[in-house]
Amino acid sequence: MSNIVTRFPPSPTGYLHVGGARTALFNWLYARHMNGRFVLRIEDTDIKRSTQASVDAIFEALEWLGIDWDEGPFFQTKRFDVYQTYVQKLLDSGNAYYCTCSQEKIDTMRKEAMAGGGKPKYDGTCRYKGLAKTANAVIRFKAPATGTTIVKDIIKGNVVFQNSEQDDFIICRSDGTPTYNFVVVVDDITMGINTVIRGDDHLNNTPRQIMLYNALESSLPAFGHVPMVLGKDRTRLSKRHGAMSVTAYRDMGYLPDALINYLVRLGWSYGDQEFFSRDELIEKFTLENIGKSPGIFDQEKLLALNADHIKAAPPEKLSTHLLPFLSERGCLAEKGDFINSVIKTLNTRSKTLIDMAEGALFYFQEEVLYEEKAAKKFLTPASLEVLNQLIDQLKPLESFNENSLENAFKRVMETNGLKLGIIAQPVRVALTGKTVSPGIFEIIKALGKKRVISRLQNAVQLIKNRKD
RNA sequence: GGUCCCAUCGUCUAGCGGUCAGGACAUCGGCCUCUCACGCCGGUAACCCGGGUUCGAUUCCCGGUGGGAUCACCA
């Protein structure tokens, strides 16, 4: 039992993307590993950009990934009274002040600073004016102007920032709403968050937040800034790098466990191990093994890992994920022995659930749909005799098993002096309509006697019809 | 531009002063084989550069270079 409390605070301005999912994962995994708590908080203070659709999309993605939370979801827009009391605290303690400088004035100030090669900072015009609250005043934090602020980062080590780099940033907008750096700190304090794991794009924000913790006389959480995920061109991951949303991967036939495995392994390692089950991840995940350098999102490796997870998943479990893809394709499949044996014939040759669903179509067709080229090449008068003989051999068989099937084929092979290779293809086409499929014996077993005989007979009929 | 972070095969990474620099994906050969896969065997492929420290640096320190992030009344 530990008192570790982590959190994931997405802002609902779009779907959950893989980068966000990764930091969620790190926090969730760490909480689970340490037997602590994981808090979900929706950072929706930007009312203009936040949408309910995004909130729903985030929940949906987290649920699919299997990331559950112990507290929340908390919505920042419902906590304005909390922020208000903390703003007042800062005002009362002299750590914040009203500022009436116009935005235009500050913009030109920044521009001039940039032009002169300096830092674009607020110059503190209103700092000592002791202004009272007025209509359009903002509230600024009185940041220490000298000295240093050190971020003791679990991943990066000690990072030193000069306080002179910071300016008196705004904690409360002129419309009265609080800003990000402030609400994050208030939330993390009031929610008891003691471990903050987030993208290192936040590292530059951290000294500001630390100053706030200090002004509020609160103890600091442990910080861990994980390197970002980059696209193939080494820039920040975005839409143009391909599919970015978590649910897009679900729809492309990826298993949640595979995505999780890939995302965690990108930037974290456990010796040479590549494949991790969900439980193994929880068991083995620690912050110490997170790397410091940014990683590139590699679709190919994710795909390979997905194939591995498909191979490793028990058919009963896999069928849950596969069923939607089947029904999308008009197959009335349901959980049970049949689908399980179907899966067993396909799991070594499917990289995604889409592959698998496509590959499984023939099992569910009432009438085999022959590929034109395949039928033309293999369902020929020459193979008529072989198919007939096979029907004769299979009909009396009590049960279809490796042995009985092999013997049946062997007898057909021997009477015709043909190799398995020669008779397998026509049979394959007769049963599946295609030239590519799982092993011939596997298919026959999975299909079952009734379907096999009927499909073979249909093929025979087709050949006969063609002859006429 | 300022500040901050980072730097081992194409990619993800192991390495924690002495290794033939290991694994995985990708790639290229081969084997297996009823098709396609799976699987198996093998190959190509990396310590950014320059200074130190040290008997010895991929590893520690400094500098350079390169890449990334960030500089809002966004989060």
Side-chain angles (χ1 to χ4, degrees):
Chain A
M1 212 40 179
S2 84
N3 59 349
I4 292 293
V5 185
T6 66
R7 40 65 153 192
F8 177 55
S11 57
T13 55
Y15 51 71
L16 180 65
H17 59 89
V18 290
R22 193 176 70 128
T23 65
L25 228 31
F26 284 152
N27 281 285
W28 178 77
L29 243 21
Y30 187 58
R32 292 288 170 265
H33 175 80
M34 297 298 287
N35 218 315
R37 284 175 295 144
F38 176 64
V39 177
L40 179 64
R41 179 171 75 224
I42 305 296
E43 308 217 323
D44 55 352
T45 55
D46 184 359
I47 297 152
K48 274 159 278 179
R49 297 197 304 149
S50 299
T51 65
Q52 183 59 42
S54 298
V55 173
D56 295 341
I58 289 166
F59 288 163
E60 186 188 348
L62 288 175
E63 190 188 341
W64 179 70
L65 285 171
I67 297 177
D68 54 353
W69 50 92
D70 307 302
E71 288 170 39
F74 296 109
F75 290 82
Q76 292 185 324
T77 44
K78 293 189 180 146
R79 294 170 50 81
F80 281 162
D81 54 330
V82 178
Y83 308 134
Q84 192 49 243
T85 56
Y86 276 82
V87 169
Q88 198 55 51
K89 274 189 193 181
L90 253 21
L91 248 15
D92 292 347
S93 62
N95 283 302
Y97 60 90
Y98 286 100
C99 167
T100 54
C101 294
S102 73
Q103 225 161 307
E104 301 78 60
K105 180 186 162 186
I106 288 161
D107 281 346
T108 54
M109 198 191 301
R110 285 216 168 81
K111 237 172 262 169
E112 279 167 18
M114 276 278 217
K119 307 164 203 10
K121 297 199 307 178
Y122 174 64
D123 65 357
T125 303
C126 298
R127 194 173 210 203
Y128 299 109
K129 284 185 183 169
L131 262 26
K133 182 177 182 177
T134 49
N136 282 317
V138 298
I139 299 173
R140 286 182 185 276
F141 174 65
K142 198 180 285 178
T146 58
T148 58
T149 297
I150 300 173
V151 180
K152 290 181 182 161
D153 195 279
I154 302 166
I155 295 163
K156 310 272 187 187
N158 287 179
V159 184
V160 182
F161 292 87
Q162 295 301 319
N163 289 158
S164 56
E165 292 292 327
Q166 312 296 338
D167 64 355
D168 290 351
F169 56 95
I170 292 172
I171 59 173
C172 211
R173 303 181 184 93
S174 51
D175 65 2
T177 58
T179 60
Y180 170 75
N181 280 117
F182 177 67
V183 294
V184 165
V185 170
V186 173
D187 281 342
D188 285 342
I189 290 172
T190 54
M191 293 173 189
I193 307 297
N194 53 28
T195 310
V196 173
I197 304 162
R198 73 221 315 190
D200 69 7
D201 50 338
H202 285 286
L203 189 51
N204 288 314
N205 276 325
T206 309
R208 282 197 240 274
Q209 296 178 10
I210 289 176
M211 289 171 176
L212 249 13
Y213 274 96
N214 292 154
L216 258 9
E217 297 178 313
S218 292
S219 57
L220 294 172
F223 290 104
H225 287 91
V226 310
M228 314 238 68
V229 179
L230 271 25
K232 204 127 198 140
D233 58 358
R234 295 190 167 279
T235 63
R236 201 190 177 128
L237 208 51
S238 69
K239 316 94 227 157
R240 72 204 151 79
H241 294 112
M244 288 297 84
S245 90
V246 167
T247 46
Y249 284 90
R250 174 195 63 194
D251 298 341
M252 288 188 290
Y254 286 79
L255 253 20
D257 286 13
L259 220 212
I260 285 179
N261 189 162
Y262 176 72
L263 252 19
V264 175
R265 191 52 242 273
L266 177 58
W268 171 85
S269 62
Y270 190 81
D272 282 341
Q273 188 172 345
E274 299 281 349
F275 184 97
F276 296 85
S277 68
R278 183 176 296 263
D279 290 342
E280 260 179 312
L281 246 18
I282 292 173
E283 181 196 328
K284 292 173 174 171
F285 183 82
T286 60
L287 266 21
E288 291 78 61
N289 293 323
I290 296 178
K292 295 168 130 194
S293 48
I296 294 172
F297 191 82
D298 183 0
Q299 244 106 356
E300 298 235 58
K301 187 144 185 175
L302 169 57
L303 186 63
L305 211 42
N306 197 48
D308 288 343
H309 277 269
I310 285 178
K311 255 175 275 179
E316 309 79 58
K317 191 179 167 197
L318 203 53
S319 64
T320 312
H321 295 283
L322 179 64
L323 253 22
F325 290 94
L326 249 17
S327 67
E328 242 171 54
R329 270 149 259 260
C331 295
L332 305 161
E334 52 187 31
K335 296 198 72 133
D337 291 344
F338 183 56
I339 186 104
N340 289 346
S341 48
V342 165
I343 287 173
K344 278 184 218 157
T345 69
L346 291 163
N347 65 168
T348 59
R349 59 200 87 221
S350 310
K351 287 185 190 297
T352 67
L353 294 171
I354 288 182
D355 288 351
M356 187 174 266
E358 296 285 346
L361 287 181
F362 76 87
Y363 282 111
F364 298 94
Q365 289 161 351
E366 281 302 321
E367 293 276 303
V368 174
L369 291 172
Y370 302 106
E371 276 174 9
E372 203 176 313
K373 276 203 297 203
K376 213 168 159 189
K377 185 167 178 194
F378 294 106
L379 298 184
T380 60
S383 48
L384 189 59
E385 186 55 26
V386 170
L387 292 175
N388 270 134
Q389 284 178 25
L390 190 62
I391 292 171
D392 292 341
Q393 290 292 338
L394 294 177
K395 257 187 180 165
L397 253 41
E398 281 295 319
S399 68
F400 280 3
N401 58 52
E402 202 68 37
N403 235 307
S404 63
L405 290 175
E406 218 165 302
N407 285 331
F409 269 80
K410 208 173 275 174
R411 283 192 287 274
V412 177
M413 282 154 66
E414 276 162 8
T415 51
N416 297 285
L418 294 172
K419 289 194 167 185
L420 182 57
I422 306 296
I423 65 177
Q425 281 307 78
V427 175
R428 188 186 312 282
V429 175
L431 296 177
T432 71
K434 296 178 292 188
T435 53
V436 172
S437 84
I440 203 78
F441 300 130
E442 292 176 74
I443 306 171
I444 292 175
K445 268 196 297 180
L447 235 24
K449 185 168 172 179
K450 213 177 120 194
R451 289 195 190 83
V452 170
I453 300 290
S454 125
R455 288 183 186 199
L456 288 174
Q457 282 170 339
N458 285 346
V460 166
Q461 203 47 50
L462 177 94
I463 297 172
K464 280 186 181 160
N465 290 345
R466 237 202 235 137
K467 269 208 290 193
D468 302 335

